[in-house]
PDB file of all heavy atoms in Angstrom:
ATOM      1  N   VAL A   1     -11.428-176.821 -40.258  1.00 95.00           N
ATOM      2  CA  VAL A   1     -12.804-176.992 -39.803  1.00 95.00           C
ATOM      3  C   VAL A   1     -13.629-177.516 -40.951  1.00 95.00           C
ATOM      4  O   VAL A   1     -13.434-177.135 -42.094  1.00 95.00           O
ATOM      5  CB  VAL A   1     -13.383-175.666 -39.231  1.00 95.00           C
ATOM      6  CG1 VAL A   1     -12.648-175.248 -37.980  1.00 95.00           C
ATOM      7  CG2 VAL A   1     -13.327-174.563 -40.282  1.00 95.00           C
ATOM      8  N   ALA A   2     -14.553-178.373 -40.624  1.00 95.00           N
ATOM      9  CA  ALA A   2     -15.458-178.999 -41.608  1.00 95.00           C
ATOM     10  C   ALA A   2     -16.597-179.688 -40.882  1.00 95.00           C
ATOM     11  O   ALA A   2     -16.516-179.994 -39.678  1.00 95.00           O
ATOM     12  CB  ALA A   2     -14.738-179.948 -42.525  1.00 95.00           C
ATOM     13  N   THR A   3     -17.671-179.953 -41.620  1.00 95.00           N
ATOM     14  CA  THR A   3     -18.780-180.768 -41.150  1.00 95.00           C
ATOM     15  C   THR A   3     -18.839-182.013 -42.014  1.00 95.00           C
ATOM     16  O   THR A   3     -18.544-181.969 -43.214  1.00 95.00           O
ATOM     17  CB  THR A   3     -20.099-179.999 -41.295  1.00 95.00           C
ATOM     18  OG1 THR A   3     -20.035-178.837 -40.433  1.00 95.00           O
ATOM     19  CG2 THR A   3     -21.276-180.828 -40.830  1.00 95.00           C
ATOM     20  N   PHE A   4     -19.190-183.172 -41.423  1.00 96.00           N
ATOM     21  CA  PHE A   4     -19.240-184.391 -42.204  1.00 96.00           C
ATOM     22  C   PHE A   4     -20.292-185.326 -41.620  1.00 96.00           C
ATOM     23  O   PHE A   4     -20.750-185.186 -40.478  1.00 96.00           O
ATOM     24  CB  PHE A   4     -17.870-185.092 -42.213  1.00 96.00           C
ATOM     25  CG  PHE A   4     -17.388-185.513 -40.851  1.00 96.00           C
ATOM     26  CD1 PHE A   4     -17.562-186.825 -40.402  1.00 96.00           C
ATOM     27  CD2 PHE A   4     -16.706-184.627 -40.019  1.00 96.00           C
ATOM     28  CE1 PHE A   4     -17.129-187.232 -39.137  1.00 96.00           C
ATOM     29  CE2 PHE A   4     -16.269-185.033 -38.754  1.00 96.00           C
ATOM     30  CZ  PHE A   4     -16.480-186.331 -38.341  1.00 96.00           C
ATOM     31  N   ARG A   5     -20.693-186.292 -42.443  1.00 96.00           N
ATOM     32  CA  ARG A   5     -21.635-187.326 -42.037  1.00 96.00           C
ATOM     33  C   ARG A   5     -20.855-188.608 -41.711  1.00 96.00           C
ATOM     34  O   ARG A   5     -19.793-188.844 -42.303  1.00 96.00           O
ATOM     35  CB  ARG A   5     -22.654-187.561 -43.165  1.00 96.00           C
ATOM     36  CG  ARG A   5     -23.814-188.491 -42.739  1.00 96.00           C
ATOM     37  CD  ARG A   5     -24.883-188.519 -43.832  1.00 96.00           C
ATOM     38  NE  ARG A   5     -25.459-187.197 -44.042  1.00 96.00           N
ATOM     39  CZ  ARG A   5     -26.385-186.687 -43.233  1.00 96.00           C
ATOM     40  NH1 ARG A   5     -26.820-187.345 -42.170  1.00 96.00           N
ATOM     41  NH2 ARG A   5     -26.876-185.468 -43.501  1.00 96.00           N
ATOM     42  N   HIS A   6     -21.403-189.398 -40.798  1.00 97.00           N
ATOM     43  CA  HIS A   6     -20.703-190.638 -40.406  1.00 97.00           C
ATOM     44  C   HIS A   6     -21.697-191.761 -40.224  1.00 97.00           C
ATOM     45  O   HIS A   6     -22.883-191.559 -39.953  1.00 97.00           O
ATOM     46  CB  HIS A   6     -19.858-190.429 -39.139  1.00 97.00           C
ATOM     47  CG  HIS A   6     -20.554-189.612 -38.061  1.00 97.00           C
ATOM     48  ND1 HIS A   6     -21.412-190.169 -37.163  1.00 97.00           N
ATOM     49  CD2 HIS A   6     -20.513-188.300 -37.815  1.00 97.00           C
ATOM     50  CE1 HIS A   6     -21.850-189.242 -36.353  1.00 97.00           C
ATOM     51  NE2 HIS A   6     -21.321-188.067 -36.731  1.00 97.00           N
ATOM     52  N   GLN A   7     -21.155-192.985 -40.299  1.00 95.00           N
ATOM     53  CA  GLN A   7     -21.985-194.189 -40.299  1.00 95.00           C
ATOM     54  C   GLN A   7     -22.490-194.533 -38.892  1.00 95.00           C
ATOM     55  O   GLN A   7     -23.647-194.901 -38.726  1.00 95.00           O
ATOM     56  CB  GLN A   7     -21.166-195.354 -40.857  1.00 95.00           C
ATOM     57  CG  GLN A   7     -21.863-196.701 -40.886  1.00 95.00           C
ATOM     58  CD  GLN A   7     -20.937-197.821 -41.312  1.00 95.00           C
ATOM     59  OE1 GLN A   7     -19.709-197.698 -41.172  1.00 95.00           O
ATOM     60  NE2 GLN A   7     -21.503-198.865 -41.907  1.00 95.00           N
ATOM     61  N   ARG A   8     -21.652-194.404 -37.900  1.00 94.00           N
ATOM     62  CA  ARG A   8     -22.012-194.817 -36.534  1.00 94.00           C
ATOM     63  C   ARG A   8     -22.487-193.572 -35.749  1.00 94.00           C
ATOM     64  O   ARG A   8     -22.008-192.472 -35.955  1.00 94.00           O
ATOM     65  CB  ARG A   8     -20.824-195.451 -35.841  1.00 94.00           C
ATOM     66  CG  ARG A   8     -20.417-196.778 -36.452  1.00 94.00           C
ATOM     67  CD  ARG A   8     -19.149-197.298 -35.823  1.00 94.00           C
ATOM     68  NE  ARG A   8     -18.720-198.518 -36.473  1.00 94.00           N
ATOM     69  CZ  ARG A   8     -17.503-199.065 -36.390  1.00 94.00           C
ATOM     70  NH1 ARG A   8     -16.579-198.415 -35.653  1.00 94.00           N
ATOM     71  NH2 ARG A   8     -17.172-200.176 -37.015  1.00 94.00           N
ATOM     72  N   PRO A   9     -23.403-193.772 -34.805  1.00 94.00           N
ATOM     73  CA  PRO A   9     -23.922-192.634 -34.019  1.00 94.00           C
ATOM     74  C   PRO A   9     -22.872-192.055 -33.067  1.00 94.00           C
ATOM     75  O   PRO A   9     -22.075-192.803 -32.491  1.00 94.00           O
ATOM     76  CB  PRO A   9     -25.108-193.210 -33.266  1.00 94.00           C
ATOM     77  CG  PRO A   9     -24.807-194.687 -33.153  1.00 94.00           C
ATOM     78  CD  PRO A   9     -24.069-195.028 -34.428  1.00 94.00           C
ATOM     79  N   HIS A  10     -22.910-190.753 -32.878  1.00 95.00           N
ATOM     80  CA  HIS A  10     -21.979-190.144 -31.909  1.00 95.00           C
ATOM     81  C   HIS A  10     -22.504-190.194 -30.485  1.00 95.00           C
ATOM     82  O   HIS A  10     -21.754-189.970 -29.537  1.00 95.00           O
ATOM     83  CB  HIS A  10     -21.676-188.692 -32.321  1.00 95.00           C
ATOM     84  CG  HIS A  10     -22.865-187.837 -32.542  1.00 95.00           C
ATOM     85  ND1 HIS A  10     -23.871-187.631 -31.636  1.00 95.00           N
ATOM     86  CD2 HIS A  10     -23.236-187.100 -33.650  1.00 95.00           C
ATOM     87  CE1 HIS A  10     -24.771-186.828 -32.099  1.00 95.00           C
ATOM     88  NE2 HIS A  10     -24.448-186.504 -33.345  1.00 95.00           N
ATOM     89  N   ARG A  11     -23.818-190.450 -30.339  1.00 93.00           N
ATOM     90  CA  ARG A  11     -24.453-190.560 -29.027  1.00 93.00           C
ATOM     91  C   ARG A  11     -24.266-189.316 -28.156  1.00 93.00           C
ATOM     92  O   ARG A  11     -24.209-189.397 -26.925  1.00 93.00           O
ATOM     93  CB  ARG A  11     -23.989-191.814 -28.284  1.00 93.00           C
ATOM     94  CG  ARG A  11     -24.189-193.101 -29.087  1.00 93.00           C
ATOM     95  CD  ARG A  11     -23.872-194.342 -28.242  1.00 93.00           C
ATOM     96  NE  ARG A  11     -23.828-195.520 -29.090  1.00 93.00           N
ATOM     97  CZ  ARG A  11     -24.899-196.180 -29.552  1.00 93.00           C
ATOM     98  NH1 ARG A  11     -26.111-195.719 -29.227  1.00 93.00           N
ATOM     99  NH2 ARG A  11     -24.775-197.227 -30.315  1.00 93.00           N
ATOM    100  N   GLY A  12     -24.137-188.181 -28.796  1.00 94.00           N
ATOM    101  CA  GLY A  12     -24.022-186.928 -28.052  1.00 94.00           C
ATOM    102  C   GLY A  12     -22.669-186.700 -27.375  1.00 94.00           C
ATOM    103  O   GLY A  12     -22.533-185.814 -26.536  1.00 94.00           O
ATOM    104  N   VAL A  13     -21.663-187.475 -27.765  1.00 94.00           N
ATOM    105  CA  VAL A  13     -20.335-187.391 -27.144  1.00 94.00           C
ATOM    106  C   VAL A  13     -19.355-186.648 -28.041  1.00 94.00           C
ATOM    107  O   VAL A  13     -19.214-186.958 -29.232  1.00 94.00           O
ATOM    108  CB  VAL A  13     -19.784-188.786 -26.848  1.00 94.00           C
ATOM    109  CG1 VAL A  13     -18.376-188.697 -26.246  1.00 94.00           C
ATOM    110  CG2 VAL A  13     -20.707-189.519 -25.857  1.00 94.00           C
ATOM    111  N   SER A  14     -18.726-185.638 -27.498  1.00 93.00           N
ATOM    112  CA  SER A  14     -17.663-184.920 -28.178  1.00 93.00           C
ATOM    113  C   SER A  14     -16.333-185.645 -27.931  1.00 93.00           C
ATOM    114  O   SER A  14     -15.991-185.943 -26.789  1.00 93.00           O
ATOM    115  CB  SER A  14     -17.588-183.470 -27.637  1.00 93.00           C
ATOM    116  OG  SER A  14     -16.537-182.755 -28.276  1.00 93.00           O
ATOM    117  N   THR A  15     -15.606-185.928 -29.002  1.00 92.00           N
ATOM    118  CA  THR A  15     -14.361-186.696 -28.895  1.00 92.00           C
ATOM    119  C   THR A  15     -13.175-185.772 -29.176  1.00 92.00           C
ATOM    120  O   THR A  15     -13.137-185.044 -30.159  1.00 92.00           O
ATOM    121  CB  THR A  15     -14.339-187.834 -29.920  1.00 92.00           C
ATOM    122  OG1 THR A  15     -15.438-188.711 -29.666  1.00 92.00           O
ATOM    123  CG2 THR A  15     -13.040-188.607 -29.850  1.00 92.00           C
ATOM    124  N   GLU A  16     -12.189-185.784 -28.253  1.00 90.00           N
ATOM    125  CA  GLU A  16     -11.011-184.947 -28.387  1.00 90.00           C
ATOM    126  C   GLU A  16      -9.754-185.821 -28.286  1.00 90.00           C
ATOM    127  O   GLU A  16      -9.538-186.483 -27.280  1.00 90.00           O
ATOM    128  CB  GLU A  16     -11.003-183.871 -27.302  1.00 90.00           C
ATOM    129  CG  GLU A  16      -9.872-182.861 -27.447  1.00 90.00           C
ATOM    130  CD  GLU A  16     -10.034-181.676 -26.487  1.00 90.00           C
ATOM    131  OE1 GLU A  16     -11.153-181.155 -26.397  1.00 90.00           O
ATOM    132  OE2 GLU A  16      -9.029-181.307 -25.852  1.00 90.00           O
ATOM    133  N   LEU A  17      -8.958-185.784 -29.340  1.00 92.00           N
ATOM    134  CA  LEU A  17      -7.687-186.522 -29.379  1.00 92.00           C
ATOM    135  C   LEU A  17      -6.559-185.549 -29.097  1.00 92.00           C
ATOM    136  O   LEU A  17      -6.384-184.559 -29.815  1.00 92.00           O
ATOM    137  CB  LEU A  17      -7.503-187.178 -30.743  1.00 92.00           C
ATOM    138  CG  LEU A  17      -8.620-188.077 -31.270  1.00 92.00           C
ATOM    139  CD1 LEU A  17      -8.221-188.654 -32.638  1.00 92.00           C
ATOM    140  CD2 LEU A  17      -8.903-189.204 -30.287  1.00 92.00           C
ATOM    141  N   HIS A  18      -5.772-185.862 -28.088  1.00 87.00           N
ATOM    142  CA  HIS A  18      -4.594-185.030 -27.760  1.00 87.00           C
ATOM    143  C   HIS A  18      -3.408-185.573 -28.527  1.00 87.00           C
ATOM    144  O   HIS A  18      -2.767-186.545 -28.106  1.00 87.00           O
ATOM    145  CB  HIS A  18      -4.347-185.037 -26.251  1.00 87.00           C
ATOM    146  CG  HIS A  18      -5.303-184.215 -25.492  1.00 87.00           C
ATOM    147  ND1 HIS A  18      -5.193-183.940 -24.144  1.00 87.00           N
ATOM    148  CD2 HIS A  18      -6.434-183.554 -25.882  1.00 87.00           C
ATOM    149  CE1 HIS A  18      -6.189-183.188 -23.724  1.00 87.00           C
ATOM    150  NE2 HIS A  18      -6.956-182.941 -24.782  1.00 87.00           N
ATOM    151  N   ARG A  19      -3.115-184.941 -29.654  1.00 88.00           N
ATOM    152  CA  ARG A  19      -2.044-185.375 -30.570  1.00 88.00           C
ATOM    153  C   ARG A  19      -0.846-184.480 -30.427  1.00 88.00           C
ATOM    154  O   ARG A  19      -0.957-183.314 -29.971  1.00 88.00           O
ATOM    155  CB  ARG A  19      -2.578-185.358 -31.998  1.00 88.00           C
ATOM    156  CG  ARG A  19      -3.830-186.180 -32.234  1.00 88.00           C
ATOM    157  CD  ARG A  19      -4.615-185.774 -33.459  1.00 88.00           C
ATOM    158  NE  ARG A  19      -3.804-185.765 -34.665  1.00 88.00           N
ATOM    159  CZ  ARG A  19      -3.332-184.646 -35.242  1.00 88.00           C
ATOM    160  NH1 ARG A  19      -3.584-183.460 -34.707  1.00 88.00           N
ATOM    161  NH2 ARG A  19      -2.601-184.725 -36.314  1.00 88.00           N
ATOM    162  N   ARG A  20       0.313-184.960 -30.843  1.00 86.00           N
ATOM    163  CA  ARG A  20       1.543-184.190 -30.713  1.00 86.00           C
ATOM    164  C   ARG A  20       1.469-182.876 -31.506  1.00 86.00           C
ATOM    165  O   ARG A  20       1.980-181.846 -31.061  1.00 86.00           O
ATOM    166  CB  ARG A  20       2.740-185.034 -31.193  1.00 86.00           C
ATOM    167  CG  ARG A  20       4.095-184.323 -31.158  1.00 86.00           C
ATOM    168  CD  ARG A  20       4.421-183.780 -29.761  1.00 86.00           C
ATOM    169  NE  ARG A  20       4.454-184.816 -28.768  1.00 86.00           N
ATOM    170  CZ  ARG A  20       5.524-185.543 -28.463  1.00 86.00           C
ATOM    171  NH1 ARG A  20       6.655-185.381 -29.135  1.00 86.00           N
ATOM    172  NH2 ARG A  20       5.471-186.438 -27.523  1.00 86.00           N
ATOM    173  N   ALA A  21       0.824-182.882 -32.654  1.00 91.00           N
ATOM    174  CA  ALA A  21       0.767-181.666 -33.475  1.00 91.00           C
ATOM    175  C   ALA A  21      -0.349-180.732 -33.023  1.00 91.00           C
ATOM    176  O   ALA A  21      -0.400-179.564 -33.445  1.00 91.00           O
ATOM    177  CB  ALA A  21       0.575-182.023 -34.955  1.00 91.00           C
ATOM    178  N   GLY A  22      -1.240-181.225 -32.151  1.00 90.00           N
ATOM    179  CA  GLY A  22      -2.365-180.396 -31.690  1.00 90.00           C
ATOM    180  C   GLY A  22      -3.600-181.264 -31.548  1.00 90.00           C
ATOM    181  O   GLY A  22      -3.687-182.378 -32.068  1.00 90.00           O
ATOM    182  N   PRO A  23      -4.626-180.751 -30.867  1.00 91.00           N
ATOM    183  CA  PRO A  23      -5.848-181.528 -30.657  1.00 91.00           C
ATOM    184  C   PRO A  23      -6.636-181.736 -31.943  1.00 91.00           C
ATOM    185  O   PRO A  23      -6.622-180.898 -32.847  1.00 91.00           O
ATOM    186  CB  PRO A  23      -6.636-180.680 -29.648  1.00 91.00           C
ATOM    187  CG  PRO A  23      -5.711-179.667 -29.126  1.00 91.00           C
ATOM    188  CD  PRO A  23      -4.674-179.447 -30.194  1.00 91.00           C
ATOM    189  N   LEU A  24      -7.333-182.827 -31.988  1.00 96.00           N
ATOM    190  CA  LEU A  24      -8.343-183.057 -33.020  1.00 96.00           C
ATOM    191  C   LEU A  24      -9.660-183.330 -32.331  1.00 96.00           C
ATOM    192  O   LEU A  24      -9.765-184.239 -31.518  1.00 96.00           O
ATOM    193  CB  LEU A  24      -7.932-184.264 -33.885  1.00 96.00           C
ATOM    194  CG  LEU A  24      -8.768-184.572 -35.140  1.00 96.00           C
ATOM    195  CD1 LEU A  24      -7.970-185.383 -36.162  1.00 96.00           C
ATOM    196  CD2 LEU A  24     -10.071-185.350 -34.803  1.00 96.00           C
ATOM    197  N   THR A  25     -10.651-182.486 -32.609  1.00 94.00           N
ATOM    198  CA  THR A  25     -11.910-182.571 -31.871  1.00 94.00           C
ATOM    199  C   THR A  25     -13.053-182.787 -32.856  1.00 94.00           C
ATOM    200  O   THR A  25     -13.135-182.099 -33.890  1.00 94.00           O
ATOM    201  CB  THR A  25     -12.157-181.259 -31.090  1.00 94.00           C
ATOM    202  OG1 THR A  25     -11.037-181.025 -30.214  1.00 94.00           O
ATOM    203  CG2 THR A  25     -13.422-181.378 -30.260  1.00 94.00           C
ATOM    204  N   VAL A  26     -13.950-183.714 -32.509  1.00 96.00           N
ATOM    205  CA  VAL A  26     -15.156-183.976 -33.286  1.00 96.00           C
ATOM    206  C   VAL A  26     -16.349-183.702 -32.346  1.00 96.00           C
ATOM    207  O   VAL A  26     -16.508-184.371 -31.340  1.00 96.00           O
ATOM    208  CB  VAL A  26     -15.191-185.427 -33.793  1.00 96.00           C
ATOM    209  CG1 VAL A  26     -16.520-185.681 -34.520  1.00 96.00           C
ATOM    210  CG2 VAL A  26     -14.046-185.658 -34.767  1.00 96.00           C
ATOM    211  N   VAL A  27     -17.160-182.704 -32.673  1.00 95.00           N
ATOM    212  CA  VAL A  27     -18.263-182.294 -31.840  1.00 95.00           C
ATOM    213  C   VAL A  27     -19.569-182.774 -32.453  1.00 95.00           C
ATOM    214  O   VAL A  27     -19.785-182.632 -33.659  1.00 95.00           O
ATOM    215  CB  VAL A  27     -18.280-180.750 -31.682  1.00 95.00           C
ATOM    216  CG1 VAL A  27     -19.340-180.318 -30.686  1.00 95.00           C
ATOM    217  CG2 VAL A  27     -16.932-180.241 -31.244  1.00 95.00           C
ATOM    218  N   PRO A  28     -20.488-183.385 -31.675  1.00 95.00           N
ATOM    219  CA  PRO A  28     -21.688-183.962 -32.234  1.00 95.00           C
ATOM    220  C   PRO A  28     -22.618-182.868 -32.802  1.00 95.00           C
ATOM    221  O   PRO A  28     -22.817-181.802 -32.205  1.00 95.00           O
ATOM    222  CB  PRO A  28     -22.360-184.632 -31.015  1.00 95.00           C
ATOM    223  CG  PRO A  28     -21.769-183.991 -29.821  1.00 95.00           C
ATOM    224  CD  PRO A  28     -20.388-183.607 -30.204  1.00 95.00           C
TER     225      PRO A  28
END
């Protein structure tokens, strides 16, 4: 778990990647 800053706006969308080792989720 961590918090980070990013260049492009997230537009209020939570992104969840379903990966073989487990999900990766980025919450706005």
Side-chain angles (χ1 to χ4, degrees):
V1 294
T3 297
F4 62 97
R5 189 171 297 282
H6 42 85
Q7 178 185 26
R8 295 175 183 162
H10 52 56
R11 304 187 190 282
V13 176
S14 179
T15 300
E16 185 170 315
L17 306 181
H18 286 187
R19 304 159 54 257
R20 178 56 59 86
L24 187 157
T25 304
V26 176
V27 186

